[in-house]
Amino acid sequence: MELIFLWEIKDVLINMQLKDIVDILIVSYIFYNLYLLIKETRAEQLMKGILVLLAITRIAEVLELQLLSWLLTHTIQAGMFALLIVFQPELRRILEYLGQTKFLSTSITNSYTNNDNFILELVEGMMSLSRQKIGALIILERKTGINEIIQTGTKIDGELTRQLLINIFIPNTPLHDGAVVVRKNKIAAAGCFLPLTENKFLNQELGTRHRAALGISERSDCISLVVSEETGHISIAQNGKLYKDLKEDTLKSLLKKGLEEEQPKYSFLKKRGEQK
């Protein structure tokens, strides 16, 4: 059996042509990028479970365990339909990423200009809110448009300044309880409603602002900024991941890098602190 297997491999290698090598490289590139898209998400764990199930099914077939093989085969066939529902957020991210490629994009619709001044105003406003322990939620739109979120709030279309940010989130004012959405260098709207995260494994101590920040980051490539009302800590959410308790210098550095990325491929954040 082993000799036959080795002979088949040798035969394939001998008859391999240039187009076969190109075909293999393309498929490998596709699977590698798909893995990067689902890395450190619940989809990664589900994929590992599927691979284990396929391996057990193959072993059952080799050992001629007919009942077990029949049961696993039909379970996998029925499970394929369920996977379309379970992987809905990940499939959305893949399609959005394909739509953001340079091949399909003619311009950067949501690019930011004069980043240094913009980031300074944004960070100073957040640090002031942090010191006063005033809760805040700010969404920076990037390549993926979130106009449906902007439409849920009150249109402002004003230049972002620290004073304007602070005034919006002052408690008991009309717009303090929603999210501010920033498009390019302007506050597009305030008091916006965001979808909450679908992640069931989060720390129960996370409040509504953090869950909303994660929720919109699961559906787009935006950068979500949160100021905790309880602790004053500043957090960033992107690609369904939450990075907590960021200091001023770190916040400036991450924002500068994130907003300067012409074509962000994956998260610009390195893991800082514990994700909960």
Side-chain angles (χ1 to χ4, degrees), residues 51-146:
L51 292 175
V52 171
L53 195 60
L54 290 172
I56 296 175
T57 302
R58 180 57 181 165
I59 292 172
E61 291 175 351
V62 172
L63 298 178
E64 297 183 353
L65 303 176
Q66 297 182 2
L67 180 59
L68 179 60
S69 177
W70 179 88
L71 179 63
L72 291 173
T73 300
H74 285 74
T75 299
I76 292 173
Q77 291 176 353
M80 290 301 172
F81 295 100
L83 287 177
L84 294 176
I85 300 174
V86 174
F87 285 139
Q88 185 179 2
E90 285 74 21
L91 290 172
R92 186 190 299 115
R93 285 178 57 199
I94 292 171
L95 292 175
E96 287 176 349
Y97 169 66
L98 292 175
Q100 294 165 12
T101 57
K102 291 182 179 180
F103 178 74
L104 297 175
S105 300
T106 56
S107 63
I108 302 175
T109 57
N110 295 320
S111 59
Y112 290 79
T113 57
N114 195 13
N115 278 354
D116 291 339
N117 185 64
F118 171 78
I119 291 173
L120 177 63
E121 291 293 317
L122 177 58
V123 171
E124 288 298 324
M126 293 193 67
M127 296 307 299
S128 177
L129 293 167
S130 174
R131 288 190 292 269
Q132 300 175 69
K133 292 188 178 179
I134 296 176
L137 177 55
I138 303 166
I139 310 301
L140 305 182
E141 184 185 54
R142 296 206 291 171
K143 299 289 290 185
T144 303
I146 51 174

Side-chain angles (χ1 to χ4, degrees), residues 38-272:
I38 67 171
K39 186 180 179 182
E40 296 182 359
T41 66
R42 60 178 182 169
E44 182 182 14
Q45 302 303 318
L46 288 171
M47 286 301 299
K48 290 178 181 178
I50 292 171
L51 292 175
V52 171
L53 195 60
L54 290 172
I56 296 175
T57 302
R58 180 57 181 165
I59 292 172
E61 291 175 351
V62 172
L63 298 178
E64 297 183 353
L65 303 176
Q66 297 182 2
L67 180 59
L68 179 60
S69 177
W70 179 88
L71 179 63
L72 291 173
T73 300
H74 285 74
T75 299
I76 292 173
Q77 291 176 353
M80 290 301 172
F81 295 100
L83 287 177
L84 294 176
I85 300 174
V86 174
F87 285 139
Q88 185 179 2
E90 285 74 21
L91 290 172
R92 186 190 299 115
R93 285 178 57 199
I94 292 171
L95 292 175
E96 287 176 349
Y97 169 66
L98 292 175
Q100 294 165 12
T101 57
K102 291 182 179 180
F103 178 74
L104 297 175
S105 300
T106 56
S107 63
I108 302 175
T109 57
N110 295 320
S111 59
Y112 290 79
T113 57
N114 195 13
N115 278 354
D116 291 339
N117 185 64
F118 171 78
I119 291 173
L120 177 63
E121 291 293 317
L122 177 58
V123 171
E124 288 298 324
M126 293 193 67
M127 296 307 299
S128 177
L129 293 167
S130 174
R131 288 190 292 269
Q132 300 175 69
K133 292 188 178 179
I134 296 176
L137 177 55
I138 303 166
I139 310 301
L140 305 182
E141 184 185 54
R142 296 206 291 171
K143 299 289 290 185
T144 303
I146 51 174
N147 200 52
E148 69 280 7
I149 301 297
I150 293 174
Q151 291 174 353
T152 66
T154 300
K155 185 177 180 180
I156 294 181
D157 195 27
E159 201 73 23
L160 186 146
T161 64
R162 67 191 78 180
Q163 294 86 354
L164 181 55
L165 272 182
I166 294 169
N167 285 336
I168 288 174
F169 290 111
I170 291 295
N172 302 320
T173 55
L175 301 178
H176 87 283
D177 209 22
V180 161
V181 177
V182 180
R183 172 176 284 174
K184 297 185 180 178
N185 292 67
K186 293 185 176 182
I187 296 179
C192 299
F193 295 98
L194 303 180
L196 298 182
T197 179
E198 299 174 357
N199 191 337
K200 305 299 183 182
F201 304 103
L202 291 175
N203 191 314
Q204 296 300 316
E205 295 179 358
L206 289 178
T208 304
R209 285 191 181 89
H210 291 84
R211 293 178 180 274
L214 283 168
I216 188 62
S217 76
E218 292 169 349
R219 292 164 171 78
S220 73
D221 65 343
C222 69
I223 303 172
S224 302
L225 305 171
V226 185
V227 178
S228 172
E229 189 172 350
E230 289 75 23
T231 64
H233 292 168
I234 297 174
S235 305
I236 284 183
Q238 190 196 21
N239 288 344
K241 302 182 189 302
L242 183 66
Y243 304 84
K244 301 176 65 177
D245 195 14
L246 301 176
K247 305 305 179 185
E248 183 175 356
D249 290 342
T250 303
L251 183 60
K252 286 181 180 179
S253 175
L254 293 177
L255 285 173
K256 184 177 178 62
K257 184 176 181 181
L259 295 179
E260 284 180 350
E261 285 183 346
E262 179 177 338
Q263 178 62 37
K265 195 171 184 179
Y266 306 106
S267 174
F268 65 88
L269 295 166
K270 294 181 179 178
K271 191 166 185 179
R272 296 176 180 272

